[in-house]
Amino acid sequence: METLFPAASTASTTSTAPDVGYVHGYSTREAARLGDQADVLAGLLHSGTRYPDGSRVLEIGCGVGAQTRHLVAHSPGARLVAVDRSAESLAIARARLAEHAPGAFVEWHRADVHALPFAEGEFDHVFVCFVLEHLADPAGALERLRRVLRPGGSLTVIEGDHGSVLFHPDSAPARAAIDCQARLQAAAGGDASLGRRLLPLLDAAGFTEARVRPCTVYADRTREDLRAGFTRDTFVAAIASVRAEALAAGLTTPDEWDLGIEELRRTAVGEGTFHYTFFKAVARRPER
Amino acid sequence: METLFPAASTASTTSTAPDVGYVHGYSTREAARLGDQADVLAGLLHSGTRYPDGSRVLEIGCGVGAQTRHLVAHSPGARLVAVDRSAESLAIARARLAEHAPGAFVEWHRADVHALPFAEGEFDHVFVCFVLEHLADPAGALERLRRVLRPGGSLTVIEGDHGSVLFHPDSAPARAAIDCQARLQAAAGGDASLGRRLLPLLDAAGFTEARVRPCTVYADRTREDLRAGFTRDTFVAAIASVRAEALAAGLTTPDEWDLGIEELRRTAVGEGTFHYTFFKAVARRPER
C-alpha cells in the first residue's frame, strides 16, 4: 500500500522502511489530524482562491479530503473533480465531504498524476496542495497538469518549506528531529524544502504569469488556536509520526529523538513561539 | 567610535576586531545602503504604524535615520524625538531628513538607552527598529523604554531573525557565510535570531497586550525591486560587509567566504528566490 499523494505536507513514508505498516491517510486518527490541519490553515491557504460557478476544477492529490471541503465551501458553484492515487484515501475523503457538505458536487477519480484519465485542456483550473514535495519529478508532474488545463486556465499550488521553521525556545535536538523527517522524505524521492523552488519549477513546466507569495504562520500564546491546531497537532505531530522510520534508518537514537520531540512540543506552550512559511503560487497555461 | 544602535538589522561590529576602522552608519555608501533598505521595506514594516497629531513619539536607535523619514511621512502631525548614541549617525540622520522632509519637526538627542534623559511617562509612543538584536540585555532596555511611556502608551518594535533565511539555489557556503555574521553579532553581545523571542521579552519587561506578527519578504524575478533593494543591496551587502571581521576571527577562509557571498548573490538573479521574516510587535505600558 502506498500513496503518491499524501494529503499532509509534513510527514512522509519512506522506502527504507516499507513494512512499517503505517501509511499516511489511512488511520482514523491520522484523518482527524489532517482535518485539523486543513481547518486551522484554511483562512491562510485558501485566501484568494475562488472559482467561478460552472468552472471545471481539478484537485490533484486530494488525499483524505483535507482541502477538498474548503474548495467546495469557497467555490460552491464550481464543478470539482478530486483525484488521488489511493482508493482508501478517496473513501475517507468522500465520507468526510458527505458529512461536512452533503449537497456538494464532487467527482472522485482514482488516478496517478503521470497517467491522468482526462483530455487535453479539459479543466479551467487545477489546485494542488502539499503534493509536489512528495514527488521525484515535480516539474514533470506540473507539465502533465498544464496539459489538462485549457489555454489561459489557472494552476494554484501550495507547498511548505521546512527551511522556514524557527521556534523559541530554540533547540538543537528539536532541529535534528525535523532534519530526520526531511531526510526520510528525501530518501523517498521528495523535498521538504520545495516551497522556495515553486517559481523556477513553474517556469520549467511551461506556465506563464506565475506569481508566488509567502503564507507565514506564526503562533504564540496569543494564538492558542494556531498553537494547538498547527504547531502541536499538525507540525509536531507529523514529525513525531516518523519515529519508527527514523530509528529504523539509523538517523537517530530513541533518547535523542524523544528529547527532540519533547523540546518541539515546548514551542507550543508557555512562552514558546513557532514560525513556518508556506508558499502559494498561481500561474496560467499560455493561451497558445 | 562605537554605536549602541546601528540602524541596520543585518550587520554588526564586533569586539574581536575593534580596529577595523569601519563602523556602521558612518560612510556615505553605508548610509545610502541603509536608506535603500528602509525604502524598499517601508511598506511592509511601517504598515499600521500611524501616530495621532500632537502625540509625543520616541524613536530609539534612529541611526542614520533610515526609519525616521518613514515615521515622519506616516505621522506628520506627531512630535518625534529621535535618539541615538552616535553623534556621527545623528548628524547624517538630520541631514537626510532635512533633504527628504524639510518641514518635519524632529528633536534629536544623543543618548544611551540605559541612561535616557527623559522623565517617567513622557512619551505616548515608542518606536524601536533593528536595535534589540544588538543589545546584550534587550529585556533591560525594554524595561527602560516602558518607564518613559505614559500608562497605556504603546511600544512598537521590529526585529529580524536570521533563522528565517531561505533561498534558491540553496548553498551550504552561503549559509555558512550568514552563520559567520550571526556568530560575530553574538560575540558582540547581540542575537541575530531575536525576532522569535519578541513576545517573551515584552512579557518579561512588564508590557501588556503584546501582539507579534510576522512580516515576510519573498523576492524572486517577479519582484526586481525587492531583489535589488532587499536581497542584494541590503541582506547580501550586510553579510558581505563583515568579511574582514570574519576572517580576523578565524571563522572562515577567503575562498570559502568569497564562494559563499557569490552564491548568496545568485539568489537575487535569474531563477533565484529569497525569503526572510521580520517580526513586528506592538505592546502597551499597563495603565497602572
Side-chain angles (χ1 to χ4, degrees):
Chain A
M1 201 160 37
E2 61 176 323
T3 170
L4 184 63
F5 293 130
S9 64
T10 44
S12 68
T13 60
T14 171
S15 58
T16 62
D19 55 355
V20 161
Y22 175 88
V23 179
H24 235 26
Y26 302 136
S27 77
T28 305
R29 193 173 63 178
E30 188 64 6
R33 181 180 77 72
L34 298 175
D36 290 343
Q37 167 182 353
D39 290 348
V40 78
L41 295 181
L44 183 73
L45 301 183
H46 286 265
S47 169
T49 300
R50 302 285 182 277
Y51 299 117
D53 288 2
S55 59
R56 194 160 159 82
V57 179
L58 173 64
E59 182 190 9
I60 280 288
C62 67
V64 296
Q67 307 303 327
T68 315
R69 58 187 279 199
H70 297 291
L71 288 172
V72 163
H74 292 134
S75 303
R79 294 177 297 153
L80 184 61
V81 177
V83 167
D84 201 273
R85 189 176 172 179
S86 156
E88 292 85 348
S89 289
L90 283 169
I92 296 172
R94 295 181 80 135
R96 290 180 59 183
L97 198 75
E99 182 185 346
H100 287 103
F105 175 78
V106 177
E107 279 179 48
W108 306 90
H109 284 276
R110 183 181 180 186
D112 185 309
V113 71
H114 298 296
L116 292 172
F118 305 115
E120 174 97 10
E122 186 172 330
F123 293 94
D124 299 300
H125 307 284
V126 172
F127 180 87
V128 195
C129 186
F130 307 153
V131 170
L132 300 181
E133 63 173 303
H134 297 287
L135 304 183
D137 180 18
L142 287 172
E143 279 186 32
R144 285 171 179 79
L145 295 175
R146 175 173 52 77
R147 286 195 211 114
V148 300
L149 272 175
R150 66 166 166 79
S154 81
L155 172 84
T156 298
V157 52
I158 302 170
E159 299 286 338
D161 192 316
H162 279 16
S164 69
V165 176
L166 64 86
F167 42 79
H168 172 78
D170 199 8
S171 155
R175 282 185 268 118
I178 295 168
D179 188 54
C180 284
Q181 190 270 333
R183 289 162 73 183
L184 290 170
Q185 190 164 339
D191 178 3
S193 300
L194 185 134
R196 71 189 73 181
R197 294 196 288 131
L198 270 184
L199 190 73
L201 283 168
L202 290 164
D203 288 347
F207 284 89
T208 188
E209 295 178 45
R211 291 290 182 282
V212 178
R213 67 176 172 87
C215 301
T216 300
V217 182
Y218 165 75
D220 62 27
R221 65 163 175 73
T222 68
R223 287 298 305 269
E224 288 293 348
D225 56 335
L226 277 178
R227 272 190 153 174
F230 179 66
T231 307
R232 186 191 68 198
D233 296 341
T234 301
F235 188 85
V236 182
I239 302 297
S241 75
V242 303
R243 183 179 194 276
E245 292 151 275
L247 290 170
L251 298 177
T252 184
T253 66
D255 285 353
E256 279 175 1
W257 178 266
D258 294 342
L259 177 60
I261 298 300
E262 182 186 328
E263 300 207 334
L264 262 186
R265 289 189 175 124
R266 291 178 58 206
T267 71
V269 296
E271 70 168 26
T273 71
F274 191 90
H275 166 284
Y276 191 93
T277 298
F278 298 95
F279 292 86
K280 180 170 183 175
V282 179
R284 292 191 182 281
R285 177 173 180 168
E287 288 288 349
R288 57 200 64 259
Chain B
M1 201 161 37
E2 62 176 325
T3 172
L4 184 63
F5 294 129
S9 66
T10 44
S12 67
T13 61
T14 170
S15 56
T16 62
D19 55 355
V20 162
Y22 176 87
V23 180
H24 235 25
Y26 303 135
S27 77
T28 304
R29 192 172 66 179
E30 188 65 6
R33 181 180 78 70
L34 298 174
D36 289 344
Q37 167 180 353
D39 289 348
V40 77
L41 295 180
L44 183 75
L45 301 183
H46 287 264
S47 168
T49 301
R50 302 287 182 277
Y51 298 117
D53 288 359
S55 60
R56 194 160 158 83
V57 178
L58 172 64
E59 183 191 8
I60 280 287
C62 67
V64 297
Q67 308 302 327
T68 315
R69 57 188 281 200
H70 298 292
L71 289 173
V72 163
H74 291 133
S75 303
R79 293 177 297 153
L80 183 61
V81 177
V83 168
D84 202 89
R85 189 177 173 179
S86 157
E88 291 85 351
S89 290
L90 284 170
I92 295 172
R94 294 180 82 135
R96 291 179 58 182
L97 197 74
E99 181 186 346
H100 287 103
F105 176 77
V106 177
E107 279 178 47
W108 306 90
H109 284 276
R110 183 179 180 189
D112 185 311
V113 69
H114 297 297
L116 292 172
F118 305 116
E120 173 99 9
E122 186 172 332
F123 292 95
D124 298 301
H125 306 285
V126 171
F127 180 87
V128 195
C129 186
F130 308 154
V131 169
L132 299 180
E133 62 173 301
H134 297 288
L135 305 182
D137 180 19
L142 287 172
E143 279 186 33
R144 285 170 179 80
L145 295 175
R146 174 172 52 76
R147 288 195 210 114
V148 300
L149 273 175
R150 65 167 167 77
S154 81
L155 172 83
T156 297
V157 52
I158 303 170
E159 299 286 339
D161 192 316
H162 279 17
S164 69
V165 176
L166 63 86
F167 43 79
H168 171 77
D170 199 7
S171 154
R175 283 186 267 114
I178 296 168
D179 189 54
C180 285
Q181 190 270 333
R183 288 163 75 184
L184 290 170
Q185 189 164 340
D191 178 3
S193 299
L194 185 134
R196 71 190 73 183
R197 296 196 287 131
L198 271 184
L199 190 72
L201 283 169
L202 290 165
D203 288 348
F207 284 89
T208 187
E209 296 177 45
R211 291 289 183 282
V212 178
R213 68 176 171 86
C215 301
T216 299
V217 182
Y218 165 75
D220 62 28
R221 67 160 175 75
T222 68
R223 287 297 306 268
E224 288 292 348
D225 57 334
L226 278 177
R227 268 188 157 180
F230 179 67
T231 306
R232 185 191 68 197
D233 296 341
T234 301
F235 188 86
V236 181
I239 302 297
S241 74
V242 304
R243 184 180 193 275
E245 293 151 274
L247 290 170
L251 297 177
T252 185
T253 66
D255 285 353
E256 279 175 1
W257 179 267
D258 294 342
L259 177 61
I261 298 300
E262 182 186 328
E263 300 206 336
L264 261 185
R265 289 189 175 126
R266 290 177 58 203
T267 70
V269 296
E271 69 168 24
T273 70
F274 192 90
H275 167 285
Y276 192 92
T277 298
F278 297 94
F279 291 86
K280 180 171 183 175
V282 179
R284 291 190 183 281
R285 177 173 180 169
E287 289 287 350
R288 56 200 63 261

